[in-house]
Amino acid sequence: MALNAKSIYDSDFDVFIPLWNFAPHFAGSVDYAISSAWILRGALLLFVILFVADLSQSNRWLLRLWYTIGLVAGSIAFLGLLQKATGARMIFWQTAPPWGAKTFFATYYYHGNAGAFLNLVWPLIAGLAIRAFTARRHPATRAMWLSVFILTIAGVLANTSRAAQLIALLLLIAICLRFGPAFLRRLWHMEKGIALAGTIAILLTLIALAQATHLEQPLSRWQLLSERIPNDARWQAWRIAAKALPDVGLFGFGPATFRVVFPFYNGVGVQRVQNIWRFLHEDYLQTALEWGWLGSTLWALLFFGGIAVGIRSYKQYAPDWTPRRRLLQPLVIIALIGVALHAIIDFPLQIASIQLYVATYLGLCWGSSSWNQRPDR
């Protein structure tokens, strides 16, 4: 699709300039430049999946990867909370642009993507905290991972994405159902005074963070939910994009071409949506438009097939795994299901940093089928 591109889009004049292609009768992308760039990124993401699948065979490197995810995620959540607390008007306290990115959080311009990222990482941080408290770890290690966990949860609460907060609640319920009983039994054998004091300290810390990071902003957005849902422009954008489905064929319009194709379908109808739509706020429909029925099916097999392989491996081989693998794998699956739900109403799977984490998690899922077959290396 990229090498046999039919045209390249000229954004200054809003026209497609025809290109010479070696197979005119075969499918080709409508924009050579952006499709070629996406193909390079896609190839690198596939390499990440293969690399992590192989790396995860080592117990040592699996734990190092887990630690890295936790520390990086905690630092990003801390940056977002610090921006909220200091009233920053732009990322890294820069001057706000004319178009005004009012929903930024940490290093993300759009709060929905920030929330999707936090929901990808905080379950694994919760696993590190559970691991620290259910095993004989140094008190400093327990304090560190508990602090990182509180920071990421506070980041989810302080972020103004309602979808991310709702999905975070669902993930929390799933994690509590899976690990809650065993964790509580473990704490029951500890000194009850220490457990009670720790719980009170966590609650007080969350209250202090809520006051410092202006938690009233996301609460006020929830109060306006009934007013905003019927008037949300994404519903109309979905209807316009759905009208293009009969034209996608097996191969679609080309990778990453939604931004140049959508304006033409938007201009045909009577009811149009305003502004520039770079993403559709519906990852699955956008993928179908860009990759066609064949390409989107292959991506679905890679993504949902990885989740299915992870679930099957956990059910069949978990008793033979090391404790860290038994703890990590359900959390990875829960996090992937969370981002899959978020992709229904937003575009997290179009963001490069989130794609990197999803590829890493898919590598863990696909590689888990060999965790019981290969020696540690």
Side-chain angles (χ1 to χ4, degrees):
M1 290 292 290
L3 294 178
N4 196 46
K6 305 292 185 181
S7 58
I8 188 169
Y9 182 68
D10 189 333
S11 58
D12 292 332
F13 296 96
D14 294 329
V15 295
F16 290 95
I17 301 174
L19 296 177
W20 177 89
N21 51 352
F22 61 89
H25 300 291
F26 288 90
S29 172
V30 298
D31 191 301
Y32 169 76
I34 57 178
S35 291
S36 299
W38 209 107
I39 285 296
L40 177 60
R41 184 201 297 183
L44 293 173
L45 290 173
L46 293 176
F47 171 78
V48 168
I49 295 176
L50 295 173
F51 176 75
V52 174
D54 186 68
L55 187 72
S56 66
Q57 306 306 316
S58 167
N59 265 320
R60 178 183 300 176
W61 280 100
L62 181 69
L63 186 60
R64 289 174 177 174
L65 180 63
W66 195 358
Y67 283 163
T68 302
I69 292 173
L71 293 174
V72 172
S75 66
I76 294 177
F78 177 73
L79 173 62
L81 292 172
L82 192 61
Q83 290 172 165
K84 288 281 187 180
T86 57
R89 297 186 178 275
M90 181 45 59
I91 299 172
F92 297 122
W93 294 268
Q94 297 177 350
T95 304
W99 41 269
K102 298 180 180 179
T103 59
F104 74 94
F105 184 86
T107 54
Y108 291 89
Y109 284 106
Y110 178 51
H111 57 184
N113 295 331
F117 171 79
L118 291 174
N119 284 336
L120 262 179
V121 295
W122 77 256
L124 271 68
I125 297 175
L128 289 170
I130 293 173
R131 185 173 181 269
F133 277 90
T134 55
R136 293 182 178 180
R137 305 295 176 199
H138 194 275
T141 303
R142 295 181 177 181
M144 181 185 72
W145 290 121
L146 181 60
S147 301
V148 174
F149 175 68
I150 292 175
L151 281 176
T152 51
I153 290 296
V156 174
L157 296 176
N159 186 30
T160 53
S161 173
R162 292 167 297 203
Q165 293 170 354
L166 179 60
I167 292 173
L169 178 61
L170 297 177
L171 298 184
L172 181 61
I173 293 173
I175 293 174
C176 289
L177 291 176
R178 176 62 187 84
F179 298 103
F183 184 67
L184 290 177
R185 285 196 300 268
R186 191 78 178 190
L187 289 181
W188 185 256
H189 296 289
M190 298 173 58
E191 295 186 16
K192 299 178 179 58
I194 297 177
L196 180 61
T199 303
I200 295 175
I202 292 173
L203 292 176
L204 292 176
T205 303
L206 287 174
I207 293 173
L209 285 173
Q211 293 178 349
T213 55
H214 305 286
L215 192 58
E216 70 277 359
Q217 295 178 358
L219 292 177
S220 62
R221 284 179 57 85
W222 276 105
Q223 295 174 356
L224 300 174
L225 181 63
S226 60
E227 301 176 5
R228 295 181 62 91
I229 285 184
N231 301 321
D232 199 319
R234 73 184 68 188
W235 317 127
Q236 182 61 24
W238 291 0
R239 287 191 289 267
I240 295 172
K243 294 179 181 178
L245 287 177
D247 300 331
V248 299
L250 284 177
F251 302 102
F253 296 107
T257 55
F258 170 80
R259 71 187 74 173
V260 299
V261 171
F262 181 77
F264 287 88
Y265 285 92
N266 187 30
V268 173
V270 177
Q271 294 182 346
R272 305 177 183 179
V273 290
Q274 302 298 320
N275 301 323
I276 298 174
W277 288 72
R278 187 178 181 185
F279 306 107
L280 183 58
H281 288 264
E282 216 286 9
D283 272 331
Y284 303 111
L285 181 53
Q286 180 173 339
T287 302
L289 293 176
E290 295 177 348
W291 293 85
W293 302 117
L294 178 61
S296 56
T297 300
L298 294 176
W299 279 119
L301 289 175
L302 179 67
F303 183 79
F304 293 104
I307 296 176
V309 168
I311 294 174
R312 186 194 64 182
S313 300
Y314 181 76
K315 288 184 176 181
Q316 293 183 356
Y317 308 125
D320 301 327
W321 290 351
T322 58
R324 68 186 59 169
R325 297 183 190 274
R326 289 197 298 269
L327 177 60
L328 175 63
Q329 188 69 356
L331 298 172
V332 169
I333 294 171
I334 290 172
L336 284 175
I337 293 175
V339 77
L341 292 175
H342 203 146
I344 298 175
I345 55 175
D346 262 322
F347 51 93
L349 298 180
Q350 308 296 328
I351 306 303
S353 59
I354 298 178
Q355 289 171 347
L356 176 61
Y357 278 76
V358 170
T360 301
Y361 290 8
L362 288 177
L364 294 174
C365 287
W366 284 106
S368 65
S369 60
S370 303
W371 285 356
N372 65 315
Q373 299 173 1
R374 301 181 183 179
D376 188 32
R377 55 183 174 84

